[in-house]
Amino acid sequence: MLRRRLNRLFGGDEGRVHSRTIYVGHKSCPPNEAYIPPKFCDNRIVSSKYTVWNFLPKNLFEQFRRIANFYFLIIFLVQVIVDTPTSPVTSGLPLFFVITVTAVKQGYEDWLRHKADREVNEYRVSVLEDGRRIRKMSAKIKVGDIVEVEEDETFPCDLILLQSSRDDGTCFVTTASLDGESNHKTHYTVADLESDLQYLSSTIECEQPQPDLYKFVGRMHIYRNSQEPDVRSLGPENLLLKGANLKNTQKICGVAVYTGMETKMALNYQGKSQKRSAVEKSINAFLLVYLFILVSKALVCTTLKYVWQGKHDEPWYNEKTQKEKDTNQYLKMFTDFLSFMVLFNFIIPVSMYVTVEMQKFLGSFFIAWDKDFFDPEIQEGALVNTSDLNEELGQVEYIFTDKTGTLTQNNMEFIECCIDGFQYKHGDGSSELDGFCVTDGPVNKIQQKAGREREELFLRALCLCHTVQIKESTMHRQDQIDQIDQIDQVDGLGVDHEFLHPPQKETGFIASSPDEIALVKGAMRYGFTFLGLESKNMKILNRNKDVETYELLHVLNFDPVRRRMSVMVRSKTGDILLFCKGADSSMFPQVRQEEVERIRMHVERNATEGYRTLCVAYKHLNAQEYARADADLREARLALQDREEKLMAVYNRVETDMILIGATAVEDQLQDEAAQTMEALQGAGMKVWVLTGDKMETAKSTCYACGLFKKNTELLELTLRTLEDGGRSREERLHDLLLEYHKKAVQDAPPVKLGITRSWSVAGHDYGFIIDGASLSMVLSSSSEPNSRRYKNLFLQICQNCTAVLCCRMAPLQKAQIVKLVKNSKGNPITLSVGDGANDVSMILEAHVGIGIKGKEGRQAVKNSDYAIPKLKHLKKLLLAHGHLYYVRIAHLVQYFFYKNLCFILPQFLYQFFCGYSQQPLYDAAYLTMYNICFTSMPILAYSLLEQHICIEVLLEHSTLYRDIAKNAMLRWKLFLYWTALGIFHGLVFFFGVRFLFSNPALQDNGQVFGNWSYGTIVFTVLVFTVTLKLALDTRHWTWINHFVIWGSLAFYVFFSFFWGGIICRPFLKHQRLYFVFANMLSSVSAWLVIILLILLSLLPEILLVVLRKPRGPHARQIAAVTPLSYKHLKERE
């Protein structure tokens, strides 16, 4: 006892220093020892980012880390500190608006997180204390508490299963919220515990919290009557994870081992990395150009001011004070430079960031509202998790897709099997032996069958080698046997049938994989029915309607490395059998080789036809072999360190020298319109890569069915099979193959015009590339660094010149590595990953845009995606219509913002040449403040939400239109320079046109002259009307909202100018410079004439361009008709 305690204290041989000790029910163990409660974290979950106290400082700090916000803060501080020509309000108010809107948005999102946390933490749970069942809040649970959970409830923390209401000591859970798998998983109670947990005296030693959902190592010490404690091993099968749901079990009791932020769910929670779109990068580049223009203007004006002052005496009305004369000359020049920076700072559009945020946020609702994305089967539509990437949907160049559940339906159906080299297909008439219909045996053995003994052995293997459970039923066993052939239920979800006894509850199968249910149902067709597991006894009904019972000794669980699973069973006669099933590549090396060739031909043919295949083998174990395996398994399961490695070694030792019986073929059908969707995406210039964990032959047939590979496609294969040909080392063979494929696909390929894909290529010869996980590992991690870099480059160049790429036998991490490799390649192409399962999460997070499919493998992919859609076919409209329109809208928004701000500030710059560089503002402070916030913001926001330059039907019908906007085509420097030149032209027209008007000083009927504020007001009026009408000319898709905001903004400007010019209240009197200026201006006919002429002159080139421009393609003139606003009604407009 003392040695055990010292070992626990100082680590011992198992490194227990890294473990924790938990006292079950907070009882001292052994009972005569003092109980010192260990300190663990409580069960509160905190996913929120802010608190009431730190929201303001933390949020402001984060916002001012953005360069634009920090820049405007500096400008505002300069206006406050230095004597500048404009009021601090002019830059302070827009900045305050931007900061406030963003803070409100982020505060609201965090409030929702607080609300969700509160719901979880205040959820009432049942805890057993001193034999009493009490209710307490989930947040109050402590490590060591015994928690009671009822059916369909969620586990409030990580629990070790102690007791279950089921007789066999098991319970079923679903972990869809954790790993995305919606299938039922079986968990087991710790063996041989007291029935009344009040008298249980035990401790649990387990590893410290770590995020791996599938790993748990621990052991339980059970104390009874001062004896040495019994030790039980604990593994993942005993651990119930927080967030999982209890199913098909009335009640369980478990002890809390990890709570709060130490649960595996909390450790797996990580905020998705911030993804930035290409548009944001373009905005930053354009911003630098305009910042350079701003600094240049300030430097020019500062220099010319001192040049002008050197040539002219100080005017008598503006003599310098003594203090100004004593000021350091360089300091004065610096403050003048800052003053000019403040005067011209409106060239940088701070409000553009708010408008872009609002456009993305509001625009994302159109995806969620689209009725075409609604799926009646699951009664759900599209989901937007990230609105920051809407425009990126219009720039995708590479699509990485999963196969199972994405290209296919993940709906498994047993098709056929092969026993001893003879192919069996199920006949429609019977489920007895006659149901075996041999259609295609080995050569010259047509219509032959394997022996009856081998057939029955194979079917027993299908009935015993699995983790399938029977869902609880109220039927009697005999009724179940009579009616079992009528059952068709997967994962506990029943299908309506006409039963002989309708009131009785239906029985169904529960399993962790739909493949297993398909195989059990396949055995049922041929007369062998699995009846369930009761107290470690598996029962099956054979062809003769006799019930066979097998004692389940051990389950050697499936894992992705071995790609096999096995069971050890003991028959009534005492024979011990090992049944094993797994992928052919993992099974063939483990069986006697004389059996392999008879089965291989059928496996490869089934895989070519697109079926998922599994091989089945068995082995007789004598008493000595079983005793050794049993001892090794028990020892490995008790280990706290390296348990998985030790178990793997035992599994591999036991699963050798097996006898191969046969193989199975299960079909997974294609998704609706999968082929049409792939064709449209390829027509749009996107390259599709399929990344799957399936075998090559199955995945290759799926690619053919989807149209990714055509009959004339030459396949370049880089797999273990091709690497082992030729008798050379794999490394040498890899080098030779890469060079050979590179010469064929890259060097010898005729040059193809940029953007042209297979259908439009003149070459007429297509290549497809196939690689498996093992070969990819060699490419990515070669023994020498130079070789590795070279292999990556060759691999990438080959793939980029192929029409489609298939990567099979991929681990989830390898999927992410592939995406990262392409994402970081030359040109930084925009990548999109689409998948439906937890194994796709890594590549979804890695790609620029991640799409989750709401499939049958749970919602982990959906939760981690940027966008979620019910079916693969919806990807076509999401990219070709929504993505295209979002990109065009936001590109126009960005260019327009820079254009209208250049128009706005250029006259201010030119005005300095006529006022002695005195920093005199041309516009009133109210106009400076309101220009971007009120007068010109709403029309461009409406345009960026509603514009359809080409109607959606045309975009979907002609996928090649997607190429017109590829490679960020609408935000290139050529177009940017065009908009900049247009802004300069309009600024020159506004300023010099009004100056020409002012060459006649008497502009009013009474002979009075206009002053400088009248000059600025006329320029500003022409400016507001011109930039707004320019947007009206660009609009192709008019709705009532466009009309309202465009004409409403102009009317508001006129109304505001009249109103502002009439205010003489005391608070505004100090800043009132426009008293009746606007009204007086409009009383002049000359002013009216100049305003109208200048607007027409500014817009004339644009009008001529629209009228005279010839369409550049068959669809360039296609424009959308006026439709209702909401995308919900797009299909109803006719």
Side-chain angles (χ1 to χ4, degrees), residues 739-754:
L739 288 178
E740 178 190 333
Y741 293 160
H742 186 268
K743 185 175 187 305
K744 189 179 290 188
V746 182
Q747 297 173 12
D748 296 345
V752 178
K753 190 177 177 182
L754 187 66

Side-chain angles (χ1 to χ4, degrees), residues 515-535:
D515 297 63
E516 293 202 317
I517 293 178
L519 295 178
V520 170
K521 287 185 177 180
M524 282 172 59
R525 290 180 181 177
Y526 304 133
F528 271 73
T529 302
F530 174 62
L531 299 179
L533 175 68
E534 293 180 3
S535 304

Side-chain angles (χ1 to χ4, degrees), residues 318-357:
N318 193 26
E319 284 190 11
K320 293 181 179 178
T321 63
Q322 189 61 40
K323 184 180 178 183
E324 288 176 327
K325 290 177 182 177
D326 295 341
T327 305
N328 183 282
Q329 181 73 7
Y330 293 108
L331 181 62
K332 185 72 174 72
M333 290 174 69
F334 180 67
T335 55
D336 281 334
F337 172 74
L338 290 179
S339 297
F340 280 117
M341 286 281 287
V342 168
L343 190 63
F344 303 142
N345 85 84
F346 293 94
I347 197 172
I348 307 292
V350 64
S351 59
M352 179 180 68
Y353 287 94
V354 177
T355 310
V356 167
E357 288 287 333

Side-chain angles (χ1 to χ4, degrees), residues 967-1031:
K967 304 273 187 187
N968 209 10
M970 294 188 67
L971 285 173
R972 289 183 184 163
W973 289 106
K974 186 177 177 181
L975 267 175
F976 173 71
L977 293 175
Y978 163 76
W979 280 92
T980 303
L982 187 66
I984 293 171
F985 168 69
H986 284 179
L988 292 171
V989 169
F990 301 158
F991 183 81
F992 288 107
V994 177
R995 189 172 185 278
F996 175 76
L997 169 70
F998 272 66
S999 60
N1000 174 14
L1003 293 175
Q1004 298 188 72
D1005 297 338
N1006 57 10
Q1008 290 182 353
V1009 295
F1010 278 167
N1012 64 318
W1013 294 117
S1014 298
Y1015 188 101
T1017 303
I1018 295 175
V1019 172
F1020 193 79
T1021 303
V1022 177
L1023 164 70
V1024 170
F1025 273 79
T1026 301
V1027 297
T1028 305
L1029 292 175
K1030 163 78 174 85
L1031 190 65

Side-chain angles (χ1 to χ4, degrees), residues 1065-1077:
C1065 299
R1066 184 173 297 276
F1068 299 98
L1069 204 54
K1070 184 181 177 183
H1071 304 287
Q1072 181 53 279
R1073 298 160 176 172
L1074 295 183
Y1075 184 65
F1076 269 85
V1077 166

Side-chain angles (χ1 to χ4, degrees), residues 935-949:
F935 298 149
T936 59
S937 60
M938 292 309 294
I940 184 60
L941 179 61
Y943 176 95
S944 65
L945 289 172
L946 306 173
E947 175 63 2
Q948 292 180 36
H949 64 300

Side-chain angles (χ1 to χ4, degrees), residues 228-280:
E228 277 293 313
D230 295 333
V231 182
R232 302 280 185 271
S233 69
L234 302 176
E237 68 278 4
N238 307 115
L239 184 68
L240 305 172
L241 299 177
K242 178 183 175 69
N245 290 81
L246 182 65
K247 295 290 182 184
N248 202 39
T249 310
Q250 291 179 2
K251 187 174 65 175
I252 65 99
C253 291
V255 59
V257 287
Y258 304 127
T259 52
M261 301 309 291
E262 290 183 343
T263 59
K264 290 184 181 286
M265 184 183 81
L267 293 174
N268 272 278
Y269 175 78
Q270 53 180 9
K272 291 184 287 187
S273 60
Q274 188 67 33
K275 296 182 179 180
R276 293 176 61 211
S277 71
V279 170
E280 281 189 60

